[in-house]
PDB file of all heavy atoms in Angstrom:
ATOM      1  N   HIS A1379       7.981  -9.772 -20.631  1.00  0.00           N
ATOM      2  CA  HIS A1379       7.566  -8.407 -20.570  1.00  0.00           C
ATOM      3  C   HIS A1379       6.173  -8.222 -21.191  1.00  0.00           C
ATOM      4  O   HIS A1379       5.864  -8.963 -22.213  1.00  0.00           O
ATOM      5  CB  HIS A1379       8.492  -7.474 -21.332  1.00  0.00           C
ATOM      6  CG  HIS A1379       8.255  -6.045 -21.184  1.00  0.00           C
ATOM      7  ND1 HIS A1379       7.338  -5.330 -21.923  1.00  0.00           N
ATOM      8  CD2 HIS A1379       8.717  -5.112 -20.309  1.00  0.00           C
ATOM      9  CE1 HIS A1379       7.286  -4.081 -21.536  1.00  0.00           C
ATOM     10  NE2 HIS A1379       8.102  -3.888 -20.560  1.00  0.00           N
ATOM     11  N   PRO A1380       5.271  -7.472 -20.630  1.00  0.00           N
ATOM     12  CA  PRO A1380       3.851  -7.381 -21.152  1.00  0.00           C
ATOM     13  C   PRO A1380       3.764  -7.158 -22.683  1.00  0.00           C
ATOM     14  O   PRO A1380       2.899  -7.728 -23.312  1.00  0.00           O
ATOM     15  CB  PRO A1380       3.292  -6.190 -20.327  1.00  0.00           C
ATOM     16  CG  PRO A1380       3.998  -6.236 -19.059  1.00  0.00           C
ATOM     17  CD  PRO A1380       5.439  -6.605 -19.400  1.00  0.00           C
ATOM     18  N   SER A1381       4.652  -6.316 -23.119  1.00  0.00           N
ATOM     19  CA  SER A1381       4.564  -6.042 -24.614  1.00  0.00           C
ATOM     20  C   SER A1381       4.801  -7.301 -25.421  1.00  0.00           C
ATOM     21  O   SER A1381       4.210  -7.528 -26.455  1.00  0.00           O
ATOM     22  CB  SER A1381       5.543  -4.925 -25.017  1.00  0.00           C
ATOM     23  OG  SER A1381       6.883  -5.333 -24.780  1.00  0.00           O
ATOM     24  N   GLN A1382       5.787  -8.099 -24.927  1.00  0.00           N
ATOM     25  CA  GLN A1382       6.096  -9.317 -25.666  1.00  0.00           C
ATOM     26  C   GLN A1382       5.081 -10.326 -25.499  1.00  0.00           C
ATOM     27  O   GLN A1382       4.803 -11.110 -26.459  1.00  0.00           O
ATOM     28  CB  GLN A1382       7.423  -9.867 -25.141  1.00  0.00           C
ATOM     29  CG  GLN A1382       8.626  -8.856 -25.295  1.00  0.00           C
ATOM     30  CD  GLN A1382       8.740  -8.304 -26.687  1.00  0.00           C
ATOM     31  OE1 GLN A1382       8.988  -8.974 -27.634  1.00  0.00           O
ATOM     32  NE2 GLN A1382       8.481  -6.964 -26.823  1.00  0.00           N
ATOM     33  N   VAL A1383       4.427 -10.408 -24.364  1.00  0.00           N
ATOM     34  CA  VAL A1383       3.277 -11.329 -24.124  1.00  0.00           C
ATOM     35  C   VAL A1383       2.132 -10.984 -25.102  1.00  0.00           C
ATOM     36  O   VAL A1383       1.534 -11.880 -25.693  1.00  0.00           O
ATOM     37  CB  VAL A1383       2.798 -11.288 -22.711  1.00  0.00           C
ATOM     38  CG1 VAL A1383       1.556 -12.117 -22.511  1.00  0.00           C
ATOM     39  CG2 VAL A1383       3.896 -11.779 -21.745  1.00  0.00           C
ATOM     40  N   VAL A1384       1.887  -9.693 -25.287  1.00  0.00           N
ATOM     41  CA  VAL A1384       0.807  -9.230 -26.138  1.00  0.00           C
ATOM     42  C   VAL A1384       1.156  -9.634 -27.605  1.00  0.00           C
ATOM     43  O   VAL A1384       0.361 -10.141 -28.346  1.00  0.00           O
ATOM     44  CB  VAL A1384       0.549  -7.732 -25.998  1.00  0.00           C
ATOM     45  CG1 VAL A1384      -0.332  -7.229 -27.111  1.00  0.00           C
ATOM     46  CG2 VAL A1384      -0.056  -7.409 -24.663  1.00  0.00           C
ATOM     47  N   LEU A1385       2.399  -9.332 -27.990  1.00  0.00           N
ATOM     48  CA  LEU A1385       2.801  -9.645 -29.365  1.00  0.00           C
ATOM     49  C   LEU A1385       2.715 -11.100 -29.669  1.00  0.00           C
ATOM     50  O   LEU A1385       2.413 -11.532 -30.809  1.00  0.00           O
ATOM     51  CB  LEU A1385       4.148  -9.060 -29.719  1.00  0.00           C
ATOM     52  CG  LEU A1385       4.306  -7.541 -29.761  1.00  0.00           C
ATOM     53  CD1 LEU A1385       5.755  -7.146 -29.919  1.00  0.00           C
ATOM     54  CD2 LEU A1385       3.472  -7.028 -30.974  1.00  0.00           C
ATOM     55  N   ARG A1386       3.021 -11.912 -28.645  1.00  0.00           N
ATOM     56  CA  ARG A1386       3.030 -13.363 -28.829  1.00  0.00           C
ATOM     57  C   ARG A1386       1.651 -14.005 -28.782  1.00  0.00           C
ATOM     58  O   ARG A1386       1.337 -14.898 -29.536  1.00  0.00           O
ATOM     59  CB  ARG A1386       3.899 -13.982 -27.774  1.00  0.00           C
ATOM     60  CG  ARG A1386       4.162 -15.498 -27.918  1.00  0.00           C
ATOM     61  CD  ARG A1386       5.202 -16.006 -26.993  1.00  0.00           C
ATOM     62  NE  ARG A1386       4.889 -15.826 -25.623  1.00  0.00           N
ATOM     63  CZ  ARG A1386       5.430 -14.973 -24.754  1.00  0.00           C
ATOM     64  NH1 ARG A1386       6.358 -14.177 -25.173  1.00  0.00           N
ATOM     65  NH2 ARG A1386       5.013 -14.945 -23.461  1.00  0.00           N
ATOM     66  N   THR A1387       0.754 -13.438 -27.940  1.00  0.00           N
ATOM     67  CA  THR A1387      -0.567 -14.050 -27.764  1.00  0.00           C
ATOM     68  C   THR A1387      -1.716 -13.308 -28.393  1.00  0.00           C
ATOM     69  O   THR A1387      -2.812 -13.867 -28.626  1.00  0.00           O
ATOM     70  CB  THR A1387      -0.853 -14.194 -26.231  1.00  0.00           C
ATOM     71  OG1 THR A1387      -1.025 -12.884 -25.669  1.00  0.00           O
ATOM     72  CG2 THR A1387       0.235 -14.935 -25.475  1.00  0.00           C
ATOM     73  N   GLY A1388      -1.488 -11.987 -28.626  1.00  0.00           N
ATOM     74  CA  GLY A1388      -2.571 -11.198 -29.190  1.00  0.00           C
ATOM     75  C   GLY A1388      -3.610 -10.765 -28.155  1.00  0.00           C
ATOM     76  O   GLY A1388      -4.620 -10.175 -28.477  1.00  0.00           O
ATOM     77  N   ARG A1389      -3.320 -11.039 -26.879  1.00  0.00           N
ATOM     78  CA  ARG A1389      -4.266 -10.762 -25.790  1.00  0.00           C
ATOM     79  C   ARG A1389      -3.614  -9.632 -24.906  1.00  0.00           C
ATOM     80  O   ARG A1389      -2.423  -9.578 -24.700  1.00  0.00           O
ATOM     81  CB  ARG A1389      -4.604 -11.967 -24.991  1.00  0.00           C
ATOM     82  CG  ARG A1389      -5.399 -12.956 -25.790  1.00  0.00           C
ATOM     83  CD  ARG A1389      -5.971 -14.066 -24.890  1.00  0.00           C
ATOM     84  NE  ARG A1389      -4.896 -14.812 -24.257  1.00  0.00           N
ATOM     85  CZ  ARG A1389      -4.355 -15.954 -24.782  1.00  0.00           C
ATOM     86  NH1 ARG A1389      -4.767 -16.372 -25.959  1.00  0.00           N
ATOM     87  NH2 ARG A1389      -3.407 -16.566 -24.134  1.00  0.00           N
ATOM     88  N   PRO A1390      -4.532  -8.862 -24.278  1.00  0.00           N
ATOM     89  CA  PRO A1390      -3.986  -7.836 -23.342  1.00  0.00           C
ATOM     90  C   PRO A1390      -3.198  -8.448 -22.114  1.00  0.00           C
ATOM     91  O   PRO A1390      -3.491  -9.559 -21.682  1.00  0.00           O
ATOM     92  CB  PRO A1390      -5.269  -7.125 -22.811  1.00  0.00           C
ATOM     93  CG  PRO A1390      -6.299  -7.410 -23.865  1.00  0.00           C
ATOM     94  CD  PRO A1390      -5.967  -8.768 -24.373  1.00  0.00           C
ATOM     95  N   CYS A1391      -2.225  -7.710 -21.611  1.00  0.00           N
ATOM     96  CA  CYS A1391      -1.527  -8.110 -20.463  1.00  0.00           C
ATOM     97  C   CYS A1391      -1.545  -6.927 -19.502  1.00  0.00           C
ATOM     98  O   CYS A1391      -1.069  -5.866 -19.777  1.00  0.00           O
ATOM     99  CB  CYS A1391      -0.082  -8.468 -20.818  1.00  0.00           C
ATOM    100  SG  CYS A1391       0.926  -9.054 -19.406  1.00  0.00           S
ATOM    101  N   LEU A1392      -2.228  -7.116 -18.364  1.00  0.00           N
ATOM    102  CA  LEU A1392      -2.633  -5.982 -17.465  1.00  0.00           C
ATOM    103  C   LEU A1392      -1.943  -6.069 -16.133  1.00  0.00           C
ATOM    104  O   LEU A1392      -1.747  -7.169 -15.541  1.00  0.00           O
ATOM    105  CB  LEU A1392      -4.102  -5.880 -17.352  1.00  0.00           C
ATOM    106  CG  LEU A1392      -4.886  -5.850 -18.649  1.00  0.00           C
ATOM    107  CD1 LEU A1392      -6.407  -5.868 -18.384  1.00  0.00           C
ATOM    108  CD2 LEU A1392      -4.527  -4.600 -19.503  1.00  0.00           C
ATOM    109  N   ASN A1393      -1.755  -4.921 -15.516  1.00  0.00           N
ATOM    110  CA  ASN A1393      -1.302  -4.774 -14.124  1.00  0.00           C
ATOM    111  C   ASN A1393      -0.053  -5.566 -13.806  1.00  0.00           C
ATOM    112  O   ASN A1393       0.027  -6.301 -12.800  1.00  0.00           O
ATOM    113  CB  ASN A1393      -2.499  -5.200 -13.162  1.00  0.00           C
ATOM    114  CG  ASN A1393      -3.712  -4.329 -13.315  1.00  0.00           C
ATOM    115  OD1 ASN A1393      -3.522  -3.089 -13.392  1.00  0.00           O
ATOM    116  ND2 ASN A1393      -4.847  -4.889 -13.310  1.00  0.00           N
ATOM    117  N   SER A1394       0.980  -5.360 -14.571  1.00  0.00           N
ATOM    118  CA  SER A1394       2.298  -5.966 -14.318  1.00  0.00           C
ATOM    119  C   SER A1394       3.132  -4.939 -13.544  1.00  0.00           C
ATOM    120  O   SER A1394       3.423  -3.891 -14.019  1.00  0.00           O
ATOM    121  CB  SER A1394       2.976  -6.397 -15.605  1.00  0.00           C
ATOM    122  OG  SER A1394       4.346  -6.736 -15.343  1.00  0.00           O
ATOM    123  N   VAL A1395       3.498  -5.252 -12.322  1.00  0.00           N
ATOM    124  CA  VAL A1395       4.307  -4.373 -11.480  1.00  0.00           C
ATOM    125  C   VAL A1395       5.750  -4.723 -11.662  1.00  0.00           C
ATOM    126  O   VAL A1395       6.184  -5.870 -11.542  1.00  0.00           O
ATOM    127  CB  VAL A1395       3.908  -4.476 -10.002  1.00  0.00           C
ATOM    128  CG1 VAL A1395       4.838  -3.600  -9.087  1.00  0.00           C
ATOM    129  CG2 VAL A1395       2.427  -4.061  -9.817  1.00  0.00           C
ATOM    130  N   GLN A1396       6.573  -3.673 -11.997  1.00  0.00           N
ATOM    131  CA  GLN A1396       7.970  -3.910 -12.367  1.00  0.00           C
ATOM    132  C   GLN A1396       8.819  -2.811 -11.726  1.00  0.00           C
ATOM    133  O   GLN A1396       8.379  -1.616 -11.518  1.00  0.00           O
ATOM    134  CB  GLN A1396       8.187  -3.875 -13.828  1.00  0.00           C
ATOM    135  CG  GLN A1396       7.411  -4.877 -14.662  1.00  0.00           C
ATOM    136  CD  GLN A1396       7.683  -4.703 -16.129  1.00  0.00           C
ATOM    137  OE1 GLN A1396       8.647  -4.035 -16.539  1.00  0.00           O
ATOM    138  NE2 GLN A1396       6.904  -5.439 -16.913  1.00  0.00           N
ATOM    139  N   GLY A1397      10.046  -3.144 -11.370  1.00  0.00           N
ATOM    140  CA  GLY A1397      11.068  -2.136 -10.960  1.00  0.00           C
ATOM    141  C   GLY A1397      12.117  -2.016 -12.080  1.00  0.00           C
ATOM    142  O   GLY A1397      12.668  -2.984 -12.531  1.00  0.00           O
ATOM    143  N   VAL A1398      12.335  -0.797 -12.533  1.00  0.00           N
ATOM    144  CA  VAL A1398      13.338  -0.593 -13.549  1.00  0.00           C
ATOM    145  C   VAL A1398      14.324   0.537 -13.074  1.00  0.00           C
ATOM    146  O   VAL A1398      13.943   1.395 -12.288  1.00  0.00           O
ATOM    147  CB  VAL A1398      12.704  -0.106 -14.864  1.00  0.00           C
ATOM    148  CG1 VAL A1398      11.833  -1.241 -15.467  1.00  0.00           C
ATOM    149  CG2 VAL A1398      11.829   1.153 -14.693  1.00  0.00           C
ATOM    150  N   LYS A1399      15.546   0.383 -13.481  1.00  0.00           N
ATOM    151  CA  LYS A1399      16.580   1.370 -13.117  1.00  0.00           C
ATOM    152  C   LYS A1399      16.551   2.564 -14.095  1.00  0.00           C
ATOM    153  O   LYS A1399      16.616   2.309 -15.321  1.00  0.00           O
ATOM    154  CB  LYS A1399      17.936   0.739 -13.052  1.00  0.00           C
ATOM    155  CG  LYS A1399      18.139  -0.306 -12.021  1.00  0.00           C
ATOM    156  CD  LYS A1399      18.452   0.323 -10.649  1.00  0.00           C
ATOM    157  CE  LYS A1399      18.856  -0.754  -9.577  1.00  0.00           C
ATOM    158  NZ  LYS A1399      19.029  -0.188  -8.300  1.00  0.00           N
ATOM    159  N   ASN A1400      16.471   3.771 -13.593  1.00  0.00           N
ATOM    160  CA  ASN A1400      16.620   4.928 -14.450  1.00  0.00           C
ATOM    161  C   ASN A1400      18.145   5.259 -14.662  1.00  0.00           C
ATOM    162  O   ASN A1400      18.967   4.707 -13.973  1.00  0.00           O
ATOM    163  CB  ASN A1400      15.832   6.126 -13.945  1.00  0.00           C
ATOM    164  CG  ASN A1400      16.343   6.678 -12.655  1.00  0.00           C
ATOM    165  OD1 ASN A1400      17.481   6.473 -12.241  1.00  0.00           O
ATOM    166  ND2 ASN A1400      15.504   7.410 -11.943  1.00  0.00           N
ATOM    167  N   PRO A1401      18.476   6.161 -15.486  1.00  0.00           N
ATOM    168  CA  PRO A1401      19.931   6.482 -15.720  1.00  0.00           C
ATOM    169  C   PRO A1401      20.662   6.926 -14.444  1.00  0.00           C
ATOM    170  O   PRO A1401      21.842   6.836 -14.426  1.00  0.00           O
ATOM    171  CB  PRO A1401      19.878   7.605 -16.811  1.00  0.00           C
ATOM    172  CG  PRO A1401      18.548   7.368 -17.547  1.00  0.00           C
ATOM    173  CD  PRO A1401      17.646   6.899 -16.483  1.00  0.00           C
ATOM    174  N   GLN A1402      19.922   7.431 -13.478  1.00  0.00           N
ATOM    175  CA  GLN A1402      20.551   7.898 -12.206  1.00  0.00           C
ATOM    176  C   GLN A1402      20.782   6.688 -11.268  1.00  0.00           C
ATOM    177  O   GLN A1402      21.323   6.941 -10.190  1.00  0.00           O
ATOM    178  CB  GLN A1402      19.690   8.977 -11.558  1.00  0.00           C
ATOM    179  CG  GLN A1402      19.773  10.303 -12.276  1.00  0.00           C
ATOM    180  CD  GLN A1402      19.009  10.282 -13.611  1.00  0.00           C
ATOM    181  OE1 GLN A1402      18.002   9.653 -13.746  1.00  0.00           O
ATOM    182  NE2 GLN A1402      19.543  10.974 -14.595  1.00  0.00           N
ATOM    183  N   GLY A1403      20.373   5.502 -11.647  1.00  0.00           N
ATOM    184  CA  GLY A1403      20.556   4.351 -10.785  1.00  0.00           C
ATOM    185  C   GLY A1403      19.456   4.108  -9.818  1.00  0.00           C
ATOM    186  O   GLY A1403      19.530   3.168  -8.990  1.00  0.00           O
ATOM    187  N   ARG A1404      18.423   4.955  -9.843  1.00  0.00           N
ATOM    188  CA  ARG A1404      17.318   4.786  -8.872  1.00  0.00           C
ATOM    189  C   ARG A1404      16.258   3.808  -9.429  1.00  0.00           C
ATOM    190  O   ARG A1404      16.004   3.846 -10.663  1.00  0.00           O
ATOM    191  CB  ARG A1404      16.621   6.111  -8.584  1.00  0.00           C
ATOM    192  CG  ARG A1404      15.510   6.048  -7.584  1.00  0.00           C
ATOM    193  CD  ARG A1404      14.732   7.363  -7.506  1.00  0.00           C
ATOM    194  NE  ARG A1404      13.650   7.278  -6.492  1.00  0.00           N
ATOM    195  CZ  ARG A1404      12.577   8.003  -6.484  1.00  0.00           C
ATOM    196  NH1 ARG A1404      12.457   8.922  -7.442  1.00  0.00           N
ATOM    197  NH2 ARG A1404      11.609   7.913  -5.590  1.00  0.00           N
ATOM    198  N   THR A1405      15.702   2.937  -8.670  1.00  0.00           N
ATOM    199  CA  THR A1405      14.632   2.033  -9.033  1.00  0.00           C
ATOM    200  C   THR A1405      13.316   2.788  -9.107  1.00  0.00           C
ATOM    201  O   THR A1405      12.872   3.412  -8.170  1.00  0.00           O
ATOM    202  CB  THR A1405      14.531   0.862  -8.076  1.00  0.00           C
ATOM    203  OG1 THR A1405      15.742   0.077  -8.103  1.00  0.00           O
ATOM    204  CG2 THR A1405      13.381  -0.096  -8.557  1.00  0.00           C
ATOM    205  N   VAL A1406      12.745   2.787 -10.278  1.00  0.00           N
ATOM    206  CA  VAL A1406      11.433   3.316 -10.442  1.00  0.00           C
ATOM    207  C   VAL A1406      10.413   2.172 -10.596  1.00  0.00           C
ATOM    208  O   VAL A1406      10.563   1.240 -11.351  1.00  0.00           O
ATOM    209  CB  VAL A1406      11.343   4.188 -11.823  1.00  0.00           C
ATOM    210  CG1 VAL A1406       9.975   4.732 -12.035  1.00  0.00           C
ATOM    211  CG2 VAL A1406      12.399   5.255 -11.725  1.00  0.00           C
ATOM    212  N   TRP A1407       9.385   2.187  -9.795  1.00  0.00           N
ATOM    213  CA  TRP A1407       8.350   1.157  -9.753  1.00  0.00           C
ATOM    214  C   TRP A1407       7.210   1.610 -10.671  1.00  0.00           C
ATOM    215  O   TRP A1407       6.695   2.761 -10.532  1.00  0.00           O
ATOM    216  CB  TRP A1407       7.812   0.854  -8.361  1.00  0.00           C
ATOM    217  CG  TRP A1407       8.832   0.129  -7.529  1.00  0.00           C
ATOM    218  CD1 TRP A1407       9.689   0.576  -6.642  1.00  0.00           C
ATOM    219  CD2 TRP A1407       9.100  -1.370  -7.597  1.00  0.00           C
ATOM    220  NE1 TRP A1407      10.481  -0.375  -6.132  1.00  0.00           N
ATOM    221  CE2 TRP A1407      10.117  -1.559  -6.702  1.00  0.00           C
ATOM    222  CE3 TRP A1407       8.556  -2.364  -8.359  1.00  0.00           C
ATOM    223  CZ2 TRP A1407      10.643  -2.881  -6.520  1.00  0.00           C
ATOM    224  CZ3 TRP A1407       9.016  -3.611  -8.176  1.00  0.00           C
ATOM    225  CH2 TRP A1407      10.086  -3.900  -7.239  1.00  0.00           C
ATOM    226  N   ILE A1408       6.820   0.708 -11.586  1.00  0.00           N
ATOM    227  CA  ILE A1408       5.772   1.080 -12.545  1.00  0.00           C
ATOM    228  C   ILE A1408       4.796  -0.050 -12.586  1.00  0.00           C
ATOM    229  O   ILE A1408       4.999  -1.203 -12.337  1.00  0.00           O
ATOM    230  CB  ILE A1408       6.389   1.341 -13.923  1.00  0.00           C
ATOM    231  CG1 ILE A1408       7.217   0.074 -14.425  1.00  0.00           C
ATOM    232  CG2 ILE A1408       7.236   2.544 -13.963  1.00  0.00           C
ATOM    233  CD1 ILE A1408       7.762   0.245 -15.788  1.00  0.00           C
ATOM    234  N   ASN A1409       3.511   0.359 -12.921  1.00  0.00           N
ATOM    235  CA  ASN A1409       2.487  -0.593 -13.225  1.00  0.00           C
ATOM    236  C   ASN A1409       2.228  -0.516 -14.751  1.00  0.00           C
ATOM    237  O   ASN A1409       1.963   0.577 -15.309  1.00  0.00           O
ATOM    238  CB  ASN A1409       1.198  -0.208 -12.457  1.00  0.00           C
ATOM    239  CG  ASN A1409       0.052  -1.226 -12.697  1.00  0.00           C
ATOM    240  OD1 ASN A1409      -0.537  -1.253 -13.733  1.00  0.00           O
ATOM    241  ND2 ASN A1409      -0.186  -2.008 -11.653  1.00  0.00           N
ATOM    242  N   VAL A1410       2.363  -1.632 -15.456  1.00  0.00           N
ATOM    243  CA  VAL A1410       2.357  -1.691 -16.876  1.00  0.00           C
ATOM    244  C   VAL A1410       1.093  -2.434 -17.407  1.00  0.00           C
ATOM    245  O   VAL A1410       0.755  -3.467 -16.870  1.00  0.00           O
ATOM    246  CB  VAL A1410       3.621  -2.395 -17.399  1.00  0.00           C
ATOM    247  CG1 VAL A1410       3.636  -2.397 -18.911  1.00  0.00           C
ATOM    248  CG2 VAL A1410       4.826  -1.733 -16.881  1.00  0.00           C
ATOM    249  N   ASN A1411       0.428  -1.788 -18.334  1.00  0.00           N
ATOM    250  CA  ASN A1411      -0.651  -2.383 -19.118  1.00  0.00           C
ATOM    251  C   ASN A1411      -0.396  -2.333 -20.551  1.00  0.00           C
ATOM    252  O   ASN A1411       0.035  -1.288 -21.041  1.00  0.00           O
ATOM    253  CB  ASN A1411      -1.987  -1.659 -18.796  1.00  0.00           C
ATOM    254  CG  ASN A1411      -2.458  -1.741 -17.322  1.00  0.00           C
ATOM    255  OD1 ASN A1411      -2.947  -2.788 -16.899  1.00  0.00           O
ATOM    256  ND2 ASN A1411      -2.184  -0.705 -16.580  1.00  0.00           N
ATOM    257  N   ALA A1412      -0.538  -3.492 -21.217  1.00  0.00           N
ATOM    258  CA  ALA A1412      -0.293  -3.520 -22.645  1.00  0.00           C
ATOM    259  C   ALA A1412      -1.466  -4.114 -23.393  1.00  0.00           C
ATOM    260  O   ALA A1412      -2.106  -5.021 -22.941  1.00  0.00           O
ATOM    261  CB  ALA A1412       0.943  -4.448 -22.888  1.00  0.00           C
ATOM    262  N   GLN A1413      -1.785  -3.413 -24.510  1.00  0.00           N
ATOM    263  CA  GLN A1413      -2.926  -3.798 -25.358  1.00  0.00           C
ATOM    264  C   GLN A1413      -2.445  -4.012 -26.826  1.00  0.00           C
ATOM    265  O   GLN A1413      -1.637  -3.209 -27.265  1.00  0.00           O
ATOM    266  CB  GLN A1413      -3.966  -2.734 -25.266  1.00  0.00           C
ATOM    267  CG  GLN A1413      -4.640  -2.541 -23.958  1.00  0.00           C
ATOM    268  CD  GLN A1413      -5.869  -3.470 -23.704  1.00  0.00           C
ATOM    269  OE1 GLN A1413      -6.152  -4.238 -24.581  1.00  0.00           O
ATOM    270  NE2 GLN A1413      -6.457  -3.365 -22.556  1.00  0.00           N
TER     271      GLN A1413
END
């Protein structure tokens, strides 16, 4: 996960596309940037 990559390396992790399930069971597609 981008946040874990940042905590491990100390470097930004950008433009990670992920699908996550919301409580209604629908897949939400997100673009994640972590600094």
